[in-house]
Amino acid sequence: MKLVYFAWVRERIGRAEEETEAPDDVATVGDLVGWLRKRGPEYESAFATGAVVRAAIDRRHVKPDAAIAGAREIAFFPPMTGG
Amino acid sequence: MKLVYFAWVRERIGRAEEETEAPDDVATVGDLVGWLRKRGPEYESAFATGAVVRAAIDRRHVKPDAAIAGAREIAFFPPMTGG
Amino acid sequence: MAVRLQREPFDLGAEVARLTEGRSDTGAVVTFSGLCRDRADSGARLVSLTLEHYPGMAEEELSRIEAEARSRWPIVDALVLHRYGRILPGEPIVLVVTLSPHRAAAFEAAQFLMDYLKTSAPFWKSEETDEGEAWVASKSTDDAAADRWRS
Amino acid sequence: MAVRLQREPFDLGAEVARLTEGRSDTGAVVTFSGLCRDRADSGARLVSLTLEHYPGMAEEELSRIEAEARSRWPIVDALVLHRYGRILPGEPIVLVVTLSPHRAAAFEAAQFLMDYLKTSAPFWKSEETDEGEAWVASKSTDDAAADRWRS
Protein backbone atom coordinates (compact mmCIF):
# COMPACT_ATOMS: atom_id res chain seq x y z
CA MET A 1 0.00 0.00 0.00
CA LYS A 2 1.33 3.38 -1.05
CA LEU A 3 0.82 6.42 1.18
CA VAL A 4 1.10 9.89 -0.32
CA TYR A 5 1.16 13.22 1.51
CA PHE A 6 0.55 16.79 0.39
CA ALA A 7 1.10 20.36 1.59
CA TRP A 8 1.76 20.70 5.34
CA VAL A 9 1.00 17.03 5.97
CA ARG A 10 3.90 16.23 3.61
CA GLU A 11 6.12 18.81 5.28
CA ARG A 12 5.44 17.56 8.81
CA ILE A 13 5.97 13.91 7.93
CA GLY A 14 9.07 14.86 5.97
CA ARG A 15 8.37 12.84 2.84
CA ALA A 16 5.98 12.89 -0.13
CA GLU A 17 5.26 9.14 -0.23
CA GLU A 18 6.11 5.77 1.20
CA GLU A 19 5.21 2.10 0.92
CA THR A 20 3.75 0.53 4.04
CA GLU A 21 1.87 -2.52 5.30
CA ALA A 22 -0.47 -1.93 8.21
CA PRO A 23 -1.39 -4.72 10.66
CA ASP A 24 -4.60 -6.67 9.99
CA ASP A 25 -6.56 -4.89 12.72
CA VAL A 26 -6.13 -1.58 10.87
CA ALA A 27 -9.39 -1.68 8.91
CA THR A 28 -10.38 1.95 8.24
CA VAL A 29 -8.73 5.24 7.32
CA GLY A 30 -9.29 6.32 10.93
CA ASP A 31 -7.53 3.16 12.20
CA LEU A 32 -4.65 3.87 9.81
CA VAL A 33 -4.24 7.42 11.16
CA GLY A 34 -4.20 6.07 14.72
CA TRP A 35 -1.57 3.50 13.78
CA LEU A 36 0.59 6.04 11.91
CA ARG A 37 0.55 8.47 14.87
CA LYS A 38 2.36 5.87 16.97
CA ARG A 39 5.19 5.56 14.45
CA GLY A 40 6.97 8.76 15.46
CA PRO A 41 6.75 12.46 16.32
CA GLU A 42 6.58 13.49 12.66
CA TYR A 43 3.36 11.49 12.21
CA GLU A 44 2.10 12.61 15.61
CA SER A 45 2.61 16.22 14.48
CA ALA A 46 0.92 15.70 11.11
CA PHE A 47 -2.11 13.90 12.55
CA ALA A 48 -2.29 15.68 15.93
CA THR A 49 -5.70 15.99 17.53
CA GLY A 50 -7.28 19.16 16.19
CA ALA A 51 -5.31 19.06 12.96
CA VAL A 52 -7.82 18.66 10.14
CA VAL A 53 -6.48 16.07 7.72
CA ARG A 54 -8.47 14.79 4.74
CA ALA A 55 -7.98 11.46 3.02
CA ALA A 56 -8.45 9.93 -0.43
CA ILE A 57 -8.35 6.26 -1.43
CA ASP A 58 -7.27 5.62 -4.99
CA ARG A 59 -7.86 9.29 -5.85
CA ARG A 60 -11.34 9.60 -4.39
CA HIS A 61 -12.23 11.54 -1.25
CA VAL A 62 -13.20 9.33 1.69
CA LYS A 63 -14.32 9.74 5.30
CA PRO A 64 -12.41 8.33 8.31
CA ASP A 65 -14.74 5.27 8.45
CA ALA A 66 -13.83 4.18 4.90
CA ALA A 67 -12.39 0.65 4.68
CA ILE A 68 -8.83 0.47 3.39
CA ALA A 69 -8.95 -3.17 2.24
CA GLY A 70 -7.81 -3.39 -1.37
CA ALA A 71 -6.54 0.22 -1.50
CA ARG A 72 -3.52 0.77 -3.72
CA GLU A 73 -2.90 4.43 -2.82
CA ILE A 74 -4.03 6.34 0.25
CA ALA A 75 -3.48 10.10 0.35
CA PHE A 76 -3.50 12.46 3.31
CA PHE A 77 -3.71 16.22 2.91
CA PRO A 78 -5.10 19.41 4.47
CA PRO A 79 -8.47 20.85 3.40
CA MET A 80 -8.18 22.04 -0.19
CA THR A 81 -7.39 25.68 -0.95
CA GLY A 82 -7.29 25.82 -4.74
CA GLY A 83 -9.33 27.94 -7.09
CA MET B 1 -43.68 68.16 -26.28
CA LYS B 2 -41.79 65.62 -28.36
CA LEU B 3 -43.15 62.09 -28.73
CA VAL B 4 -40.78 59.29 -29.80
CA TYR B 5 -41.69 55.73 -30.79
CA PHE B 6 -39.67 52.54 -31.04
CA ALA B 7 -39.90 49.04 -32.54
CA TRP B 8 -43.45 47.96 -33.45
CA VAL B 9 -44.98 51.02 -31.82
CA ARG B 10 -42.97 53.11 -34.30
CA GLU B 11 -43.96 50.85 -37.19
CA ARG B 12 -47.66 50.93 -36.39
CA ILE B 13 -47.77 54.70 -35.94
CA GLY B 14 -45.67 55.10 -39.06
CA ARG B 15 -43.17 57.62 -37.73
CA ALA B 16 -40.27 57.72 -35.26
CA GLU B 17 -41.11 61.04 -33.62
CA GLU B 18 -43.41 64.04 -33.69
CA GLU B 19 -44.08 67.30 -31.88
CA THR B 20 -47.48 67.59 -30.25
CA GLU B 21 -49.47 69.61 -27.73
CA ALA B 22 -52.07 67.72 -25.74
CA PRO B 23 -55.15 69.45 -24.28
CA ASP B 24 -54.97 70.61 -20.68
CA ASP B 25 -57.10 67.75 -19.37
CA VAL B 26 -54.46 65.23 -20.51
CA ALA B 27 -52.54 65.01 -17.24
CA THR B 28 -50.93 61.57 -17.16
CA VAL B 29 -49.22 59.14 -19.52
CA GLY B 30 -52.41 57.07 -19.44
CA ASP B 31 -54.47 60.14 -20.41
CA LEU B 32 -52.04 60.81 -23.26
CA VAL B 33 -52.42 57.29 -24.60
CA GLY B 34 -56.21 57.65 -24.49
CA TRP B 35 -56.02 60.95 -26.35
CA LEU B 36 -53.58 59.60 -28.98
CA ARG B 37 -55.82 56.59 -29.70
CA LYS B 38 -58.53 58.94 -30.90
CA ARG B 39 -56.22 60.58 -33.42
CA GLY B 40 -56.39 57.79 -36.01
CA PRO B 41 -56.27 54.08 -36.76
CA GLU B 42 -52.43 54.00 -36.67
CA TYR B 43 -52.49 55.17 -33.03
CA GLU B 44 -55.46 52.93 -32.27
CA SER B 45 -53.44 49.99 -33.61
CA ALA B 46 -50.29 50.88 -31.65
CA PHE B 47 -52.11 51.44 -28.36
CA ALA B 48 -54.89 48.87 -28.80
CA THR B 49 -56.35 47.32 -25.69
CA GLY B 50 -54.20 44.32 -24.89
CA ALA B 51 -51.08 45.71 -26.58
CA VAL B 52 -48.45 46.17 -23.90
CA VAL B 53 -46.80 49.53 -24.44
CA ARG B 54 -44.25 50.99 -22.04
CA ALA B 55 -43.45 54.66 -21.60
CA ALA B 56 -40.53 56.85 -20.58
CA ILE B 57 -40.54 60.54 -19.70
CA ASP B 58 -37.28 62.33 -20.40
CA ARG B 59 -35.48 58.98 -20.71
CA ARG B 60 -36.75 57.41 -17.49
CA HIS B 61 -39.25 54.56 -17.29
CA VAL B 62 -42.65 55.64 -15.97
CA LYS B 63 -46.01 54.04 -15.16
CA PRO B 64 -49.31 55.09 -16.79
CA ASP B 65 -50.19 57.29 -13.80
CA ALA B 66 -47.06 59.46 -14.21
CA ALA B 67 -47.80 63.17 -14.71
CA ILE B 68 -46.67 64.58 -18.04
CA ALA B 69 -46.50 68.25 -16.95
CA GLY B 70 -43.08 69.66 -17.79
CA ALA B 71 -42.05 66.67 -19.92
CA ARG B 72 -39.79 67.48 -22.86
CA GLU B 73 -39.74 64.01 -24.44
CA ILE B 74 -42.19 61.16 -23.97
CA ALA B 75 -41.30 57.76 -25.46
CA PHE B 76 -43.55 54.80 -26.19
CA PHE B 77 -42.18 51.34 -26.92
CA PRO B 78 -42.84 47.60 -26.47
CA PRO B 79 -41.39 45.67 -23.51
CA MET B 80 -37.60 45.56 -23.88
CA THR B 81 -35.93 42.57 -25.55
CA GLY B 82 -32.24 43.45 -25.47
CA GLY B 83 -29.40 41.52 -23.89
CA MET C 1 -16.99 51.61 -14.40
CA ALA C 2 -18.12 51.97 -17.96
CA VAL C 3 -21.11 51.57 -20.24
CA ARG C 4 -20.63 51.36 -23.97
CA LEU C 5 -22.87 51.09 -27.02
CA GLN C 6 -21.39 50.13 -30.34
CA ARG C 7 -22.32 48.76 -33.73
CA GLU C 8 -19.17 46.63 -34.14
CA PRO C 9 -18.49 43.21 -32.60
CA PHE C 10 -16.30 43.27 -29.47
CA ASP C 11 -13.37 41.19 -28.31
CA LEU C 12 -13.90 39.55 -24.91
CA GLY C 13 -10.20 38.98 -24.20
CA ALA C 14 -9.24 42.56 -25.08
CA GLU C 15 -12.03 44.03 -22.94
CA VAL C 16 -11.10 41.95 -19.89
CA ALA C 17 -7.38 42.62 -20.39
CA ARG C 18 -8.10 46.37 -20.41
CA LEU C 19 -10.06 46.10 -17.15
CA THR C 20 -7.56 43.92 -15.28
CA GLU C 21 -4.30 45.39 -16.59
CA GLY C 22 -2.03 46.82 -13.93
CA ARG C 23 -4.29 45.91 -11.03
CA SER C 24 -3.76 43.07 -8.57
CA ASP C 25 -6.48 43.83 -6.01
CA THR C 26 -9.05 41.76 -7.87
CA GLY C 27 -9.54 38.11 -6.97
CA ALA C 28 -12.51 37.45 -9.22
CA VAL C 29 -13.55 38.38 -12.75
CA VAL C 30 -16.90 37.20 -14.09
CA THR C 31 -17.96 37.76 -17.68
CA PHE C 32 -21.25 37.14 -19.41
CA SER C 33 -21.40 37.15 -23.20
CA GLY C 34 -24.76 36.96 -24.92
CA LEU C 35 -24.43 35.48 -28.40
CA CYS C 36 -26.77 35.53 -31.36
CA ARG C 37 -28.21 32.03 -31.84
CA ASP C 38 -28.96 30.43 -35.20
CA ARG C 39 -32.63 29.80 -34.39
CA ALA C 40 -35.42 32.35 -34.07
CA ASP C 41 -37.89 32.05 -31.18
CA SER C 42 -40.25 30.39 -33.69
CA GLY C 43 -37.69 27.67 -34.36
CA ALA C 44 -37.01 28.94 -37.89
CA ARG C 45 -33.42 29.35 -39.05
CA LEU C 46 -32.20 32.84 -38.19
CA VAL C 47 -30.63 34.96 -40.95
CA SER C 48 -29.86 37.96 -38.75
CA LEU C 49 -30.93 39.97 -35.73
CA THR C 50 -31.43 43.72 -35.85
CA LEU C 51 -31.20 45.60 -32.58
CA GLU C 52 -32.99 48.92 -32.30
CA HIS C 53 -32.24 51.12 -29.30
CA TYR C 54 -33.30 54.43 -27.78
CA PRO C 55 -30.20 56.58 -28.18
CA GLY C 56 -29.47 58.55 -25.05
CA MET C 57 -31.82 56.60 -22.80
CA ALA C 58 -30.00 53.32 -23.51
CA GLU C 59 -26.72 54.71 -22.16
CA GLU C 60 -28.45 56.42 -19.24
CA GLU C 61 -30.44 53.32 -18.26
CA LEU C 62 -27.37 51.06 -18.44
CA SER C 63 -25.49 53.56 -16.25
CA ARG C 64 -28.33 53.55 -13.72
CA ILE C 65 -28.31 49.73 -13.63
CA GLU C 66 -24.55 49.73 -13.17
CA ALA C 67 -24.73 52.27 -10.35
CA GLU C 68 -27.34 50.08 -8.65
CA ALA C 69 -25.06 47.02 -8.92
CA ARG C 70 -22.17 49.02 -7.49
CA SER C 71 -24.27 50.09 -4.52
CA ARG C 72 -25.23 46.48 -3.75
CA TRP C 73 -21.93 44.63 -4.21
CA PRO C 74 -18.22 45.43 -3.63
CA ILE C 75 -17.36 45.83 -7.28
CA VAL C 76 -13.95 47.33 -8.07
CA ASP C 77 -14.76 47.75 -11.76
CA ALA C 78 -17.39 46.76 -14.28
CA LEU C 79 -18.23 47.03 -17.95
CA VAL C 80 -21.57 46.83 -19.71
CA LEU C 81 -21.27 46.76 -23.49
CA HIS C 82 -24.26 46.43 -25.81
CA ARG C 83 -24.31 46.29 -29.59
CA TYR C 84 -26.98 47.69 -31.88
CA GLY C 85 -27.67 47.32 -35.58
CA ARG C 86 -27.42 44.11 -37.57
CA ILE C 87 -25.97 41.02 -35.87
CA LEU C 88 -25.31 37.62 -37.42
CA PRO C 89 -25.68 34.15 -35.82
CA GLY C 90 -22.65 33.35 -33.66
CA GLU C 91 -21.79 37.01 -33.12
CA PRO C 92 -21.80 38.58 -29.65
CA ILE C 93 -24.64 40.94 -28.69
CA VAL C 94 -23.90 41.95 -25.12
CA LEU C 95 -21.01 41.75 -22.66
CA VAL C 96 -21.05 42.22 -18.91
CA VAL C 97 -17.82 42.09 -16.89
CA THR C 98 -17.54 42.43 -13.12
CA LEU C 99 -14.36 42.62 -11.03
CA SER C 100 -14.46 42.05 -7.29
CA PRO C 101 -12.20 40.83 -4.50
CA HIS C 102 -14.77 38.03 -3.94
CA ARG C 103 -16.24 35.56 -6.36
CA ALA C 104 -19.79 35.53 -4.96
CA ALA C 105 -20.04 39.31 -5.42
CA ALA C 106 -18.64 39.15 -8.96
CA PHE C 107 -21.13 36.39 -9.92
CA GLU C 108 -24.16 38.03 -8.33
CA ALA C 109 -23.42 41.49 -9.71
CA ALA C 110 -23.01 40.09 -13.25
CA GLN C 111 -26.31 38.19 -12.98
CA PHE C 112 -28.05 41.27 -11.61
CA LEU C 113 -26.70 43.44 -14.44
CA MET C 114 -27.92 40.96 -17.06
CA ASP C 115 -31.34 40.45 -15.44
CA TYR C 116 -31.98 44.18 -15.18
CA LEU C 117 -30.53 44.96 -18.58
CA LYS C 118 -32.88 42.43 -20.19
CA THR C 119 -36.00 44.02 -18.75
CA SER C 120 -35.15 47.71 -18.48
CA ALA C 121 -32.52 48.72 -21.04
CA PRO C 122 -34.33 50.14 -24.11
CA PHE C 123 -33.31 47.69 -26.82
CA TRP C 124 -35.58 45.75 -29.15
CA LYS C 125 -34.68 42.74 -31.26
CA SER C 126 -36.12 42.01 -34.67
CA GLU C 127 -35.47 38.56 -36.13
CA GLU C 128 -35.00 37.98 -39.84
CA THR C 129 -35.73 34.39 -40.91
CA ASP C 130 -36.64 32.66 -44.17
CA GLU C 131 -40.24 33.44 -43.23
CA GLY C 132 -39.69 37.18 -42.92
CA GLU C 133 -38.99 39.69 -40.16
CA ALA C 134 -40.62 39.73 -36.74
CA TRP C 135 -40.17 41.57 -33.46
CA VAL C 136 -39.05 39.33 -30.61
CA ALA C 137 -41.64 39.04 -27.83
CA SER C 138 -40.48 39.75 -24.29
CA LYS C 139 -40.18 36.76 -22.00
CA SER C 140 -41.95 36.37 -18.69
CA THR C 141 -38.90 34.44 -17.44
CA ASP C 142 -36.87 37.63 -17.89
CA ASP C 143 -39.33 39.59 -15.78
CA ALA C 144 -39.17 36.89 -13.12
CA ALA C 145 -35.36 36.95 -13.19
CA ALA C 146 -35.34 40.72 -12.64
CA ASP C 147 -38.03 40.51 -9.95
CA ARG C 148 -35.95 38.29 -7.68
CA TRP C 149 -33.59 41.22 -6.95
CA ARG C 150 -36.43 43.37 -5.61
CA SER C 151 -36.69 43.03 -1.86
CA MET D 1 -16.11 19.34 -22.14
CA ALA D 2 -12.57 19.64 -20.95
CA VAL D 3 -10.44 19.81 -17.84
CA ARG D 4 -6.89 21.09 -18.03
CA LEU D 5 -3.98 21.51 -15.65
CA GLN D 6 -1.04 23.65 -16.66
CA ARG D 7 1.89 25.55 -15.24
CA GLU D 8 1.69 28.44 -17.72
CA PRO D 9 -0.70 31.41 -17.58
CA PHE D 10 -3.71 31.14 -19.87
CA ASP D 11 -5.43 33.54 -22.23
CA LEU D 12 -9.12 34.06 -21.50
CA GLY D 13 -10.00 35.37 -24.95
CA ALA D 14 -8.26 32.52 -26.74
CA GLU D 15 -9.90 29.87 -24.54
CA VAL D 16 -13.39 31.28 -25.07
CA ALA D 17 -12.79 31.74 -28.82
CA ARG D 18 -11.79 28.08 -29.07
CA LEU D 19 -14.98 26.98 -27.28
CA THR D 20 -17.38 29.19 -29.24
CA GLU D 21 -15.78 28.99 -32.69
CA GLY D 22 -18.00 27.57 -35.38
CA ARG D 23 -21.00 27.11 -33.16
CA SER D 24 -24.12 29.27 -33.07
CA ASP D 25 -26.36 27.21 -30.75
CA THR D 26 -25.07 28.96 -27.64
CA GLY D 27 -26.87 31.99 -26.31
CA ALA D 28 -24.84 32.41 -23.14
CA VAL D 29 -21.17 32.17 -22.20
CA VAL D 30 -20.13 32.74 -18.59
CA THR D 31 -16.51 32.87 -17.51
CA PHE D 32 -14.95 33.03 -14.06
CA SER D 33 -11.29 33.94 -13.73
CA GLY D 34 -9.62 33.68 -10.34
CA LEU D 35 -6.65 36.04 -10.11
CA CYS D 36 -3.73 36.12 -7.68
CA ARG D 37 -4.18 39.12 -5.40
CA ASP D 38 -1.32 41.27 -4.09
CA ARG D 39 -2.20 40.69 -0.42
CA ALA D 40 -1.80 37.52 1.61
CA ASP D 41 -4.62 36.43 3.91
CA SER D 42 -2.58 37.98 6.75
CA GLY D 43 -2.70 41.35 4.98
CA ALA D 44 1.05 41.23 4.21
CA ARG D 45 2.20 42.10 0.70
CA LEU D 46 2.27 38.94 -1.41
CA VAL D 47 5.44 38.07 -3.31
CA SER D 48 4.08 34.91 -4.93
CA LEU D 49 1.70 31.99 -4.58
CA THR D 50 2.78 28.39 -5.05
CA LEU D 51 0.11 25.87 -5.93
CA GLU D 52 0.72 22.24 -5.05
CA HIS D 53 -1.62 19.64 -6.50
CA TYR D 54 -2.22 15.90 -6.39
CA PRO D 55 -1.33 14.78 -9.94
CA GLY D 56 -3.88 12.34 -11.29
CA MET D 57 -6.50 12.99 -8.66
CA ALA D 58 -6.69 16.71 -9.52
CA GLU D 59 -7.69 15.93 -13.12
CA GLU D 60 -10.06 13.14 -12.04
CA GLU D 61 -11.77 15.25 -9.39
CA LEU D 62 -12.21 18.21 -11.76
CA SER D 63 -13.71 15.81 -14.33
CA ARG D 64 -16.12 14.46 -11.70
CA ILE D 65 -17.19 18.01 -10.76
CA GLU D 66 -17.68 18.86 -14.42
CA ALA D 67 -19.76 15.73 -15.05
CA GLU D 68 -21.93 16.66 -12.07
CA ALA D 69 -22.49 20.17 -13.46
CA ARG D 70 -23.37 18.70 -16.84
CA SER D 71 -25.95 16.40 -15.24
CA ARG D 72 -27.61 19.31 -13.44
CA TRP D 73 -27.69 22.02 -16.14
CA PRO D 74 -28.13 22.07 -19.95
CA ILE D 75 -24.49 22.86 -20.69
CA VAL D 76 -23.40 22.54 -24.32
CA ASP D 77 -19.71 22.87 -23.44
CA ALA D 78 -17.49 23.76 -20.51
CA LEU D 79 -13.86 24.22 -19.58
CA VAL D 80 -12.16 23.98 -16.20
CA LEU D 81 -8.53 25.09 -16.29
CA HIS D 82 -6.34 25.21 -13.18
CA ARG D 83 -2.72 26.27 -12.90
CA TYR D 84 -0.11 24.85 -10.57
CA GLY D 85 3.40 25.94 -9.59
CA ARG D 86 4.50 29.52 -8.92
CA ILE D 87 2.03 32.33 -9.62
CA LEU D 88 2.64 36.07 -9.32
CA PRO D 89 0.20 38.80 -8.17
CA GLY D 90 -2.14 39.82 -10.99
CA GLU D 91 -1.72 36.48 -12.78
CA PRO D 92 -4.68 34.14 -13.36
CA ILE D 93 -4.98 30.96 -11.26
CA VAL D 94 -8.15 29.30 -12.44
CA LEU D 95 -10.63 29.61 -15.30
CA VAL D 96 -14.14 28.20 -15.59
CA VAL D 97 -16.17 28.66 -18.78
CA THR D 98 -19.73 27.46 -19.34
CA LEU D 99 -21.73 27.57 -22.57
CA SER D 100 -25.49 27.13 -22.53
CA PRO D 101 -28.54 28.15 -24.54
CA HIS D 102 -29.76 29.94 -21.40
CA ARG D 103 -28.04 32.50 -19.22
CA ALA D 104 -29.35 31.25 -15.86
CA ALA D 105 -27.92 27.77 -16.54
CA ALA D 106 -24.57 29.18 -17.66
CA PHE D 107 -24.31 31.35 -14.52
CA GLU D 108 -25.39 28.64 -12.09
CA ALA D 109 -23.17 25.96 -13.59
CA ALA D 110 -20.13 28.26 -13.45
CA GLN D 111 -20.82 29.09 -9.80
CA PHE D 112 -21.33 25.44 -8.97
CA LEU D 113 -18.06 24.48 -10.67
CA MET D 114 -16.14 27.12 -8.72
CA ASP D 115 -17.78 26.32 -5.38
CA TYR D 116 -17.07 22.60 -5.72
CA LEU D 117 -13.61 23.10 -7.16
CA LYS D 118 -12.67 25.27 -4.16
CA THR D 119 -13.60 22.62 -1.62
CA SER D 120 -12.91 19.33 -3.39
CA ALA D 121 -10.20 19.71 -6.05
CA PRO D 122 -6.86 18.67 -4.50
CA PHE D 123 -4.89 21.93 -4.73
CA TRP D 124 -3.09 23.72 -1.90
CA LYS D 125 -1.85 27.30 -1.89
CA SER D 126 1.27 28.46 -0.14
CA GLU D 127 1.80 32.22 0.20
CA GLU D 128 5.22 33.83 0.07
CA THR D 129 5.33 37.26 1.75
CA ASP D 130 8.06 39.47 3.22
CA GLU D 131 7.42 37.57 6.45
CA GLY D 132 8.09 34.12 4.97
CA GLU D 133 6.06 31.26 3.51
CA ALA D 134 2.78 29.93 4.90
CA TRP D 135 0.06 27.51 3.80
CA VAL D 136 -3.28 29.17 3.16
CA ALA D 137 -6.00 28.06 5.59
CA SER D 138 -9.25 26.81 4.10
CA LYS D 139 -12.25 29.12 4.45
CA SER D 140 -15.52 28.17 6.09
CA THR D 141 -17.26 30.46 3.57
CA ASP D 142 -16.04 28.13 0.82
CA ASP D 143 -17.56 25.13 2.60
CA ALA D 144 -20.82 27.03 2.97
CA ALA D 145 -20.78 27.97 -0.71
CA ALA D 146 -20.37 24.33 -1.72
CA ASP D 147 -22.98 23.14 0.79
CA ARG D 148 -25.76 25.19 -0.78
CA TRP D 149 -25.74 22.90 -3.85
CA ARG D 150 -26.47 19.81 -1.73
CA SER D 151 -30.17 19.16 -1.60
Side-chain angles (χ1 to χ4, degrees), chain D:
Chain D
M1 305 286 169
V3 155
R4 209 160 84 224
L5 260 64
Q6 65 184 47
R7 198 178 277 279
E8 305 71 36
F10 53 82
D11 181 77
L12 170 66
E15 297 299 340
V16 172
R18 193 172 303 144
L19 288 163
T20 53
E21 198 179 347
R23 74 184 313 157
S24 45
D25 57 350
T26 307
V29 181
V30 169
T31 75
F32 176 88
S33 308
L35 308 183
C36 178
R37 284 200 271 167
D38 55 5
R39 294 279 154 194
D41 277 357
S42 68
R45 197 178 62 80
L46 190 80
V47 176
S48 74
L49 268 188
T50 299
L51 264 146
E52 179 170 334
H53 73 293
Y54 183 172
M57 181 169 169
E59 292 87 335
E60 288 178 21
E61 189 66 18
L62 290 179
S63 295
R64 284 191 282 266
I65 297 168
E66 204 202 48
E68 175 73 19
R70 217 159 51 219
S71 76
R72 290 179 179 224
W73 289 278
I75 299 302
V76 298
D77 206 351
L79 170 69
V80 180
L81 195 168
H82 207 300
R83 289 178 66 196
Y84 60 90
R86 192 155 187 266
I87 292 173
L88 301 176
E91 287 188 358
I93 301 169
V94 63
L95 173 66
V96 159
V97 185
T98 54
L99 281 69
S100 174
H102 307 291
R103 78 178 185 285
F107 269 120
E108 286 175 23
Q111 278 182 287
F112 171 88
L113 286 166
M114 278 308 304
D115 288 347
Y116 259 60
L117 183 158
K118 281 259 176 190
T119 55
S120 85
F123 292 86
W124 301 273
K125 287 194 189 99
S126 171
E127 293 180 331
E128 182 194 349
T129 69
D130 299 339
E131 294 149 23
E133 281 226 46
W135 292 101
V136 171
S138 66
K139 292 186 178 64
S140 58
T141 51
D142 285 333
D143 289 331
D147 276 343
R148 76 191 157 115
W149 301 104
R150 294 188 182 98
S151 57

Side-chain angles (χ1 to χ4, degrees), chain C:
Chain C
M1 307 287 168
V3 156
R4 209 160 83 225
L5 260 64
Q6 65 184 47
R7 197 177 278 278
E8 305 72 35
F10 54 81
D11 181 77
L12 171 65
E15 297 299 340
V16 172
R18 194 171 303 144
L19 288 164
T20 54
E21 198 181 346
R23 73 184 316 156
S24 45
D25 56 349
T26 307
V29 181
V30 169
T31 75
F32 175 88
S33 307
L35 309 183
C36 178
R37 285 200 271 168
D38 54 6
R39 293 280 155 196
D41 277 356
S42 68
R45 198 179 62 81
L46 190 79
V47 177
S48 73
L49 267 187
T50 299
L51 264 144
E52 179 171 334
H53 73 294
Y54 184 172
M57 181 170 169
E59 294 87 335
E60 288 177 20
E61 189 65 19
L62 291 178
S63 295
R64 284 191 282 266
I65 297 167
E66 205 201 49
E68 177 72 21
R70 219 159 53 220
S71 77
R72 289 179 179 224
W73 289 280
I75 300 303
V76 299
D77 207 349
L79 171 68
V80 179
L81 195 168
H82 207 300
R83 287 178 68 195
Y84 59 90
R86 193 155 186 264
I87 293 173
L88 301 176
E91 288 188 356
I93 302 169
V94 63
L95 173 66
V96 159
V97 185
T98 54
L99 282 68
S100 173
H102 309 291
R103 79 179 183 285
F107 269 120
E108 286 175 23
Q111 278 182 286
F112 171 87
L113 286 167
M114 279 307 304
D115 288 348
Y116 259 61
L117 183 158
K118 280 261 179 189
T119 55
S120 85
F123 292 87
W124 301 273
K125 287 194 190 99
S126 171
E127 293 180 330
E128 182 195 351
T129 70
D130 300 338
E131 295 150 24
E133 282 226 43
W135 292 101
V136 171
S138 66
K139 293 186 177 62
S140 59
T141 52
D142 285 334
D143 289 330
D147 276 343
R148 74 190 158 116
W149 301 103
R150 294 189 180 98
S151 58

